[in-house]
Amino acid sequence: MEEKVINAALLGLGTVGTGVYKVLKMQEDEMTAKIGCKVRITRVLVRNLEKAAAKVDDPSILTNNWEDIITDSSIKIVIEVMGGINPAQTYITEALKAGKHVVSANKDLIAVNGKELLDAAEASHSDFLFEAAVAGGIPIIRPLKQCLAGNHLSEVMGIVNGTTNFILTKMSQEGMEFQDALALATKLGYAEADPTADIDGLDAGRKVAILASVAFNSRVVFDDVYIEGITKISAKDIRYAKEMGCTIKLLGVARNTDEGIEAYVCPMLIPSTHPLATVNDSYNAVFVNGDAVEDAMFFGRGAGQLPTASAVVGDVFDIVRNIQADCSGRIGCTCYKNLPVKKMENAHSRFFLRLHVEDRCGVLAEMTEVFAKYHVSVAQIIQRDTLDDGCAEVVVITAKVREGDFKTAIEELSNRSSVKKISRTIRVYGK
Ligand code: NAP
Ligand code: HSE
């Protein structure tokens, strides 16, 4: 009996596209037993045909013309792993309108225009799946939409960028300064030639927008996410954090509060006893809290050729199963609420504050007087010996305070003659 085959097209044959091609080959022998038919890549869209030729068994499947794919009715699944907003958005939309199913790893696009893409999928009863767009190989979108659907989720947070986690790990474990750790990440191939999206927190911000939308059933877009990167973190901040029982991580946090959704990415102190504090190097981890499940943590490779392809191929297999059971489009957009997203100034956080003050009697009293005026309560304090400039270095961890109040207190402090320099403010993770 002839084996059933479903034809698919790849858009892009870079890191992830090549990984998808390889993983499908790795699965070739048991695919039919596993999902009831074979998936065959019959077309691959690239810009540079010559560069791609060595990556596939049969170079005649390569094309640089989208029309070859969109007009081919034998292609049922389009796998978008080319990245960028356009033409990716146009190709995905056209494919969905043509009744093809789409898998995408494109967080940049989904964090901005996810709703439009999911609407297009719904209109044509097609599947649009994007497991690889958040935390690469770690299953998190499907667990949030399906396995954890019986919960009201209150928080989804974690380490969703491998490059910055590698840099912060080197700074913490080897005392490196940021620039040296970044240079090492570049040398080892973790950081891209232009590392801006990673070190400035934009990549993590896109993932937080997607996670928040899926977890809280309400659309959060990239522009809603407050973002700070790690470029200002110094080895000294990390040393003080350790003295205070904490580790510094770039955290993406989405929280569902009574006043609306909080969504932010910033370097944060996290207690060294928290499971996320032990997630090192380029690993990612996502922590979820729900009213039924309580805490759940997902850990693994957040990027890379085969880990990311693992998530993409999982989506492809899901689509194949849906096609065979005639139930495509079963789980589409899950944003059925319209919750407000809180402005960061109205969020409540604890803060780590490092400052240089005059080394004389009464200065700490002056500081706490300003704090009291703006409801800032001190939870921990360290004072170091006199510095070269004759000042004392004071490091404080505050209790939870409204962000706007803390900012005003810092502005007022910085205008006091006894305060010579506010060296750093970093948020401290805690409920
Ligand atoms: P990549 O290595 O730069 O590969 C991109 C591929 O897409 C190349 O084959 C490129 O072809 C092709 N391409 C780009 N624009 C095109 C266009 N306009 N027309 C035709 N082909 C085009 O990128 P990647 O790292 O594989 O990432 C792909 C997607 O996966 C992105 O959305 C990324 O955010 C996401 N992602 C990546 C990872 C990861 O670990 N890399 C992890 C999670 C998600 P040419 O080479 O011929 O230009
Ligand atoms: N640049 C990302 C990271 C991988 O360092 O985690 C792609 O999402």
Side-chain angles (χ1 to χ4, degrees), residues 107 133 160-164 190 192 198 203 207 284 302-303:
K107 54 197 167 277
V160 289
N161 183 269
T163 306
T164 46
Y190 290 115
E192 295 187 29
D198 292 322
D203 175 76
K207 293 166 182 166
N284 282 199

Side-chain angles (χ1 to χ4, degrees), residues 46-310:
V46 290
R47 276 181 294 220
N48 185 333
L49 297 171
E50 217 173 299
K51 194 171 89 181
K55 296 185 187 174
V56 287
D57 297 332
D58 173 10
S60 73
I61 66 173
L62 298 173
T63 177
N64 50 19
N65 182 3
W66 165 240
E67 292 298 314
D68 289 343
I69 292 169
I70 190 67
T71 58
D72 184 341
S73 61
S74 75
I75 292 173
K76 303 295 176 206
I77 304 173
V78 168
I79 305 165
E80 186 276 305
V81 282
M82 54 193 270
I85 303 292
N86 256 316
Q89 182 171 2
T90 307
Y91 294 170
I92 294 175
T93 310
E94 286 182 5
L96 290 168
K97 279 191 182 150
K100 300 182 193 300
H101 308 282
V102 177
V103 176
S104 173
N106 194 334
K107 54 197 167 277
D108 303 37
L109 173 59
I110 296 164
V112 178
N113 290 325
K115 180 182 175 349
E116 289 73 7
L117 301 174
L118 284 156
D119 284 351
E122 192 177 338
S124 62
H125 307 287
S126 298
D127 282 323
F128 175 63
L129 303 181
F130 48 91
E131 184 61 66
V134 178
I138 303 176
I140 188 65
I141 301 298
R142 192 171 283 97
L144 289 174
K145 281 196 175 199
Q146 299 184 41
C147 318
L148 296 169
N151 286 263
H152 288 110
L153 299 177
S154 57
E155 186 175 69
V156 49
M157 56 80 74
I159 297 166
V160 289
N161 183 269
T163 306
T164 46
N165 202 34
F166 177 85
I167 292 171
L168 290 172
T169 301
K170 289 291 160 200
M171 291 174 73
S172 176
Q173 293 182 345
E174 295 174 30
M176 283 186 177
E177 283 301 344
F178 170 76
Q179 286 301 343
D180 298 327
L182 171 61
L184 181 64
T186 309
K187 190 174 148 201
L188 296 179
Y190 290 115
E192 295 187 29
D194 176 3
T196 316
D198 292 322
I199 62 178
D200 285 350
L202 309 177
D203 175 76
R206 291 174 183 125
K207 293 166 182 166
V208 165
I210 299 170
L211 283 176
S213 303
V214 174
F216 308 141
N217 305 110
S218 184
R219 182 67 50 199
V220 175
V221 294
F222 177 62
D223 275 349
D224 292 326
V225 182
Y226 173 86
I227 294 171
E228 279 178 25
I230 63 163
T231 54
K232 292 189 184 132
I233 301 297
S234 66
K236 193 176 202 181
D237 296 322
I238 291 178
R239 279 200 305 275
Y240 275 122
K242 269 190 197 165
E243 261 188 68
M244 297 170 119
C246 293
T247 306
I248 298 182
K249 294 287 185 189
L250 182 73
L251 295 184
V253 180
R255 203 172 270 154
N256 194 1
T257 75
D258 290 342
E259 302 81 40
I261 293 173
E262 291 176 5
Y264 53 89
V265 170
C266 44
M268 295 184 94
L269 275 75
I270 187 161
S272 301
T273 50
H274 192 285
L276 284 181
T278 60
V279 175
N280 286 321
D281 300 315
S282 62
Y283 281 96
N284 282 199
V286 181
F287 210 81
V288 180
N289 181 270
D291 57 358
V293 72
E294 300 181 6
D295 288 331
M297 184 163 142
F298 301 79
F299 166 85
R301 286 270 173 223
Q305 184 171 87
L306 293 184
T308 309
S310 154

